[in-house]
């Protein structure tokens, strides 16, 4: 009696494991960028000493057939392939490996022939392998098979002779490199072992490389006594683009409730005319699919979206799943909320913080599936109004299954939509949100200030498995977060954090006011005094001490240098000073080296290593260098150089290093 388990095990003779893009056994999709080449690796090996071969397989989800890409052997049973996924969307990937009997035959006969052994029988074995390939029904390649048949005819003619010279001539013909290539194309794949099919998602470029600028639209009038409009925002677009940003992000732009409306500096009682927090969404004027009436109409909003596009900007909206006590959903869908025994709804809390102007929905019981559909449709509603980027408020307080379902639903119709998770929470929770579908993630960068903690954190993000699914967005500040480092570091600290965010990460962002080093805190807290979350502000971005030139420089260098557009191409280098961070990025011939003084108060001098080894050069070699800040070029001789960085003058240095032979 045949044992099915035996045959199933026997079929998978080759081992395929250690797949680089396999997330939790295939439970979640790895992420790549459409149009960018990506290297895929796997450990592939078999028993014995036979030659093996392997291919990487990929197809758009739903396609019938896989596209096959040959893999190359690296080292220690590690194989690789480089693939470019053409369009954003869902893909399926896999691998297949097999024993290559002809390559094995060729290797063994080469050794025997070189040793002077008789190879007449081996030549007949080679003929039979080729003949089998010509007669196989699968993997039909007519031209290749025709050439192999001609080869067999030529070999038959040669075989009429005898002796060592004849055998040598036959082997030179049968074992030629071009014959090996033909056999790899059409020959049988002995013990072909497939790998399981894995999911993969290809995002568009902006998911991995973007520069965000955040504003409150209501504060764009230039007058604290007049609520800003979408037309006021349109007037600000040239300013934002001049700074070099490509995403303009708004906190919620919906009607704001009046019940428990917050006043200036988060006071519990609003005075007459105070606008309230934009996160208290919903009033008699509408909810998540409505506009605050003082901002303008939907026609005005569409003009803004179009005008932004004309300036090379995309509009990103906040998707905040919370409601003011005046939200229409409370009347229309009371089953979506948790009611207390006294007939009230508990307001939102994040102890010790309280949000008396906000109540939360719940996602299960009678809210499933109606609330899920409604929230999905809110996103699709704004997609219909030209928005393709959403920053999601506090996603870690909503169910993972909801996000996995909702993001998939939206991207099934619109593969170009990007979701940024604003989740300053536990590491595993942040990573799970990235796995379930978020394109970008806030991070701990905001609180990583020391050399060791920056190095350790960025090494984790760029070298561990999370690099295949989690893309950080290094926001330097937000309306909610006024970091203590910025409160105490003055202008040098703002320049330092800008450079770190813009050059360490592929995605980064600033909240307006950063360019004028706004840092006045609520005493003892990481919050802004006179926060525009609770009042309308008027901004003077030309006041002395601004760092707009630094921002323009960073965004220009990011656009001009492919090395700065990557994330997991980051390497840290030695600088003999704990207050100086040295790191570099490389893409092709583009190599950028960066030094940053982390001490905003003192001049730091240091010896640093020029990473000559990255170019295969000895320690005493010379390289050409361009100062990317000032534009001058010169030569560094040898591995060790000295530098001094004065935080009051410029706390950073950025160099382009040219390998020998690379044009400058």
């Amino acid at each position: 009696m045949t044992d099915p388990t035996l045959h199933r095990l026997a079929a998978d003779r080759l081992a395929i494991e250690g797949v680089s893009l396999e997330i939790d056994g295939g439970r979640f999709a790895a992420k790549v960028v459409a149009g960018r080449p990506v290297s895929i690796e796997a450990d592939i090996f078999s028993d014995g000493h036979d030659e093996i071969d392997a291919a990487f397989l990929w197809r758009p989800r739903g396609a019938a057939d896989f596209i096959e890409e040959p893999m190359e052997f690296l080292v220690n049973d590690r194989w690789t392939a480089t693939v470019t996924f053409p369009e954003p969307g869902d893909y399926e990937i896999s691998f297949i490996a097999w024993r290559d009997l002809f390559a094995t035959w060729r290797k063994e006969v080469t050794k025997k022939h070189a040793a002077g052994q008789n190879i007449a029988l081996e030549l007949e074995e080679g003929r039979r392998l080729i003949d089998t390939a010509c007669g196989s029904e699968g993997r039909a390649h007519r031209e290749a098979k025709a050439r192999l048949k001609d080869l067999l005819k030529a070999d038959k003619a040669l075989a009429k002779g005898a002796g060592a010279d004849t055998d040598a001539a036959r082997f030179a013909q049968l074992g030629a490199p071009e014959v090996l290539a033909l056999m790899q194309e059409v020959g049988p794949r002995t013990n072909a072992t497939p790998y399981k099919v894995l999911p993969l998602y290809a995002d568009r470029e902006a998911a991995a490389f973007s520069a965000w600028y955040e504003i409150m639209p209501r504060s764009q009038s230039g007058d604290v006594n007049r609520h800003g409009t979408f037309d006021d925002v349109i007037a600000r677009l040239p300013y934002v683009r001049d700074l070099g940003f490509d995403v303009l992000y708004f906190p919620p732009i919906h009607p704001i409730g009046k019940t428990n409306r917050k006043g200036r500096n988060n006071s519990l009682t609003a005075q007459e005319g105070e606008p309230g927090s934009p996160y208290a969404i919903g009033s008699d004027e509408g909810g998540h699919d409505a506009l605050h009436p003082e901002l303008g109409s939907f026609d005005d909003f569409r003009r803004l979206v179009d005008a932004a596009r004309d300036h090379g900007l995309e509009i990103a909206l906040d998707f905040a799943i919370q409601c003011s006590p005046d939200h229409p959903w409370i009347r229309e869908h009371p089953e979506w909320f948790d009611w207390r025994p006294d007939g009230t709804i508990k307001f939102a809390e994040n102890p010790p913080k309280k949000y008396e102007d906000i109540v939360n929905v719940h996602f299960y019981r009678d809210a499933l599936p109606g609330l899920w559909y409604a929230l999905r449709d809110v996103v699709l509603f704004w997609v219909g109004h030209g928005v393709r980027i959403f920053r999601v408020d506090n996603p870690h307080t909503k169910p993972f299954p909801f996000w996995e379902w909702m993001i998939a639903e939206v991207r099934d119709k619109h593969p170009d939509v990007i979701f940024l998770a604003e989740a300053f929470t536990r590491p595993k929770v942040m990573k799970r949100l990235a796995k379930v579908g978020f394109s970008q993630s806030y991070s701990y960068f905001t609180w990583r200030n020391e050399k060791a903690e920056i190095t350790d954190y960025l090494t984790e993000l760029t070298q561990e498995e999370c690099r295949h699914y989690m893309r950080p967005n290094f926001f330097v500040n937000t309306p909610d977060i006024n970091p203590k480092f910025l409160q105490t570091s003055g202008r040098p600290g703002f320049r330092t954090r800008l450079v770190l965010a813009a050059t360490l990460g592929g995605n980064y962002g600033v909240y307006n006011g950063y360019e004028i080093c706004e840092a006045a805190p609520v005493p003892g807290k990481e919050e802004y005094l006179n926060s525009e979350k609770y009042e309308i502000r008027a901004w003077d971005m030309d006041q002395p001490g601004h760092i707009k030139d630094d921002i323009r420089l960073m965004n220009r260098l990011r656009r001009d240098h492919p090395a700065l557009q990557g994330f997991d191409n980051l390497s840290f280098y030695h600088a003999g000073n704990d207050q100086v961070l040295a790191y570099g990025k490389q893409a092709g011939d583009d190599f950028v080296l960066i030094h940053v003084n982390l001490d905003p108060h003192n001049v730091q001098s240091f010896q640093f290593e020029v990473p000559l080894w990255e170019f295969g050069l000895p320690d005493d070699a010379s390289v050409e260098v361009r100062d990317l800040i000032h534009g001058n070029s010169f030569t560094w001789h040898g591995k060790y150089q000295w530098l001094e960085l004065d935080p009051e003058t410029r706390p950073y240095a950025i160099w382009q290093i040219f390998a020998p032979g690379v044009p400058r």
Side-chain angles (χ1 to χ4, degrees):
M1 182 177 180
T2 302
D3 182 351
T5 301
L6 184 153
H7 286 279
R8 177 179 59 80
L9 289 173
D12 293 335
R13 182 169 179 179
L14 282 80
I16 304 174
E17 57 189 39
V19 173
S20 61
L21 294 183
E22 181 174 344
I23 310 302
D24 289 359
R27 168 66 176 85
F28 299 107
K31 296 186 180 77
V32 298
V33 178
R36 280 193 188 185
V38 58
S39 294
I40 296 98
E41 296 183 2
D43 297 328
I44 301 174
F45 53 95
S46 184
D47 58 278
H49 302 288
D50 287 350
E51 294 292 289
I52 66 172
D53 207 347
F56 173 72
L57 310 174
W58 65 274
R59 66 186 176 195
R61 189 185 66 181
D65 299 320
F66 279 108
I67 298 167
E68 186 173 295
E69 307 284 353
M71 299 192 75
E72 296 181 356
F73 178 79
L74 284 175
V75 66
N76 192 27
D77 294 320
R78 195 71 171 165
W79 291 67
T80 185
T82 299
V83 182
T84 301
F85 296 89
E87 301 291 339
D90 283 298
Y91 290 85
E92 293 177 321
I93 63 172
S94 188
F95 302 83
I96 188 169
W98 60 93
R99 293 168 62 232
D100 188 335
L101 298 186
F102 186 80
T104 301
W105 169 85
R106 183 175 181 268
K107 180 181 71 173
E108 292 177 349
V109 177
T110 297
K111 293 178 180 179
K112 290 183 177 181
H113 181 56
Q117 297 180 10
N118 186 306
I119 58 171
L121 184 58
E122 282 79 2
L123 291 172
E124 180 59 28
E125 290 173 339
R127 277 188 57 87
R128 294 190 178 191
L129 289 172
I130 296 172
D131 187 61
T132 299
C134 291
S136 63
E137 296 183 2
R139 303 180 66 233
H141 293 77
R142 291 183 180 179
E143 181 179 349
K145 290 182 178 181
R147 292 173 62 186
L148 289 174
K149 289 178 180 178
D150 290 341
L151 172 71
L152 291 177
K153 292 178 182 178
D155 178 70
K156 186 176 181 180
L158 273 178
K160 292 179 180 178
D165 290 343
T166 296
D167 289 349
R170 291 181 64 197
F171 180 59
Q173 186 169 259
L174 293 176
E178 55 268 26
V179 178
L180 175 64
L182 290 172
M183 286 294 289
Q184 288 174 332
E185 182 179 345
V186 302
R189 294 179 169 180
T190 305
N191 300 121
T193 301
Y195 197 63
K196 61 188 172 185
V197 176
L198 302 172
L200 179 140
Y201 195 84
D203 283 293
R204 61 186 173 102
E205 179 74 13
F209 181 70
S210 59
W212 291 49
Y213 186 76
E214 179 179 0
I215 65 170
M216 294 269 188
R218 71 187 186 189
S219 290
Q220 303 310 306
S221 71
D223 181 354
V224 296
N225 297 310
R226 182 173 74 80
H227 196 288
T229 67
F230 291 135
D231 283 337
D232 292 320
V233 177
I234 290 174
R236 297 282 292 159
L237 294 177
Y239 171 81
V240 179
R241 188 54 189 169
D242 175 67
L243 290 178
F245 293 100
D246 42 62
V247 177
L248 180 59
Y249 155 53
F250 305 152
I253 54 175
H254 314 298
I256 297 171
K258 294 182 179 179
T259 300
N260 298 333
R261 175 176 285 192
K262 293 294 187 70
R264 191 169 184 264
N265 281 317
N266 201 19
S267 63
L268 295 181
T269 303
Q271 301 300 311
E272 183 67 27
E274 289 187 324
S277 168
Y279 289 90
I281 297 170
S283 72
D284 291 340
E285 295 158 323
H288 286 74
D289 57 358
L291 291 169
H292 193 293
E294 291 187 78
L295 288 172
S297 67
F298 278 100
D299 286 340
D300 297 329
F301 180 76
R302 189 67 202 213
R303 283 193 301 104
L304 167 59
V305 172
D306 293 341
R309 185 179 301 112
D310 292 341
H311 283 81
L313 291 161
E314 280 197 71
I315 299 298
L317 291 187
D318 210 312
F319 182 44
I321 304 177
Q322 55 239 9
C323 303
S324 88
D326 305 324
H327 198 292
W329 282 349
I330 296 177
R331 299 187 305 274
E332 297 167 1
H333 297 284
E335 72 277 12
W336 294 356
F337 298 85
D338 280 320
W339 295 87
R340 308 183 81 183
D342 63 355
T344 62
I345 306 174
K346 182 179 181 180
F347 55 70
E349 293 183 358
N350 181 18
K353 294 181 179 180
K354 294 182 179 181
Y355 305 98
E356 294 88 349
D357 55 342
I358 293 173
V359 298
N360 286 325
V361 297
H362 74 78
F363 283 79
Y364 287 88
R365 302 193 303 278
D366 293 338
L368 179 66
L371 175 67
W372 295 39
Y373 291 144
L375 292 171
R376 175 202 61 188
D377 292 346
V378 165
V379 175
L380 291 174
F381 174 85
W382 291 106
V383 170
H385 284 82
V387 179
R388 292 296 189 275
I389 304 179
F390 296 89
R391 178 266 199 189
V392 179
D393 192 63
N394 285 324
H396 55 290
T397 62
K398 288 79 181 175
F400 299 134
F402 166 73
W403 293 122
E404 185 172 2
W405 171 82
M406 192 277 287
I407 292 173
E409 284 277 298
V410 172
R411 294 206 295 207
D412 186 58
K413 299 178 178 65
H414 305 281
D416 59 339
V417 171
I418 293 169
F419 293 93
L420 166 61
E422 187 255 2
F424 297 112
T425 184
R426 304 186 305 281
K428 291 182 174 63
V429 175
M430 295 169 70
K431 291 177 179 179
R432 181 74 175 197
L433 288 167
K435 290 177 184 179
V436 301
F438 278 93
S439 322
Q440 299 179 6
S441 306
Y442 279 47
S443 73
Y444 300 142
F445 167 79
T446 313
W447 299 277
R448 298 294 186 263
N449 300 311
E450 302 297 328
K451 181 174 181 175
E453 60 188 12
I454 293 173
T455 301
D456 290 347
Y457 187 48
L458 268 293
T459 298
E460 172 192 343
L461 294 179
T462 60
Q463 301 300 319
E464 295 185 8
E465 184 195 54
C466 60
R467 74 188 187 277
H468 294 307
Y469 59 81
M470 182 176 176
R471 301 191 191 99
N473 191 321
F474 290 160
F475 262 82
V476 289
N477 67 329
T478 78
D480 293 309
I481 302 173
N482 179 13
K484 290 183 179 178
F485 179 86
L486 297 181
Q487 296 176 22
T488 59
S489 63
R491 185 173 183 266
F494 278 80
R495 300 175 85 192
T496 290
R497 297 300 294 178
L498 168 73
V499 174
L500 292 174
T503 59
L504 285 170
N507 301 300
Y508 90 105
V510 307
Y511 162 53
N512 84 173
Y514 191 89
E515 62 263 51
I516 56 173
C517 306
E518 174 85 0
V522 174
K525 296 184 178 181
E526 284 193 327
E527 299 177 17
Y528 285 99
L529 187 65
N530 304 323
S531 169
E532 74 179 322
K533 282 181 65 178
Y534 309 105
E535 61 181 281
I536 294 173
R537 296 281 301 270
W539 297 93
D540 175 11
M541 300 303 186
D542 293 320
Q543 59 185 269
H546 68 74
I547 61 168
K548 292 189 292 185
D549 288 341
D550 297 271
I551 294 173
R552 292 187 187 98
L553 174 64
M554 290 305 106
N555 286 332
R556 178 177 62 79
L557 293 179
R558 282 165 53 87
R559 290 193 304 271
D560 291 348
H561 288 273
L564 296 179
Q565 296 167 19
F567 181 60
D568 59 2
N569 60 338
L570 173 69
S571 296
F572 289 101
Y573 300 114
H574 176 72
N577 186 322
D578 286 342
Q579 294 297 328
V580 175
L581 190 68
Y583 56 96
K585 289 184 173 182
Q586 184 173 12
D589 291 333
D590 186 36
F591 190 102
V592 177
L593 178 67
I594 301 164
H595 297 105
V596 182
N597 180 358
L598 303 176
D599 178 0
H601 306 294
N602 299 290
V603 176
Q604 298 293 335
S605 301
F606 57 98
Q607 184 186 61
F608 67 91
E609 291 184 351
V610 181
L612 297 171
W613 59 90
E614 300 284 17
F615 308 99
L617 298 175
D619 289 354
D620 59 352
S622 299
V623 288
E624 299 302 308
V625 184
R626 178 178 296 142
D627 183 337
L628 292 179
I629 298 171
H630 301 99
N632 54 307
S633 298
F634 48 89
T635 302
W636 277 338
H637 299 285
K639 180 178 179 180
Y640 296 104
Q641 302 291 327
W642 280 90
L643 187 64
E644 180 178 276
L645 291 175
D646 184 344
E648 293 296 334
T649 304
R650 191 181 297 273
Y652 59 89
I654 305 177
W655 323 96
Q656 183 177 14
I657 302 178
F658 297 91
V662 173
R664 292 179 289 281

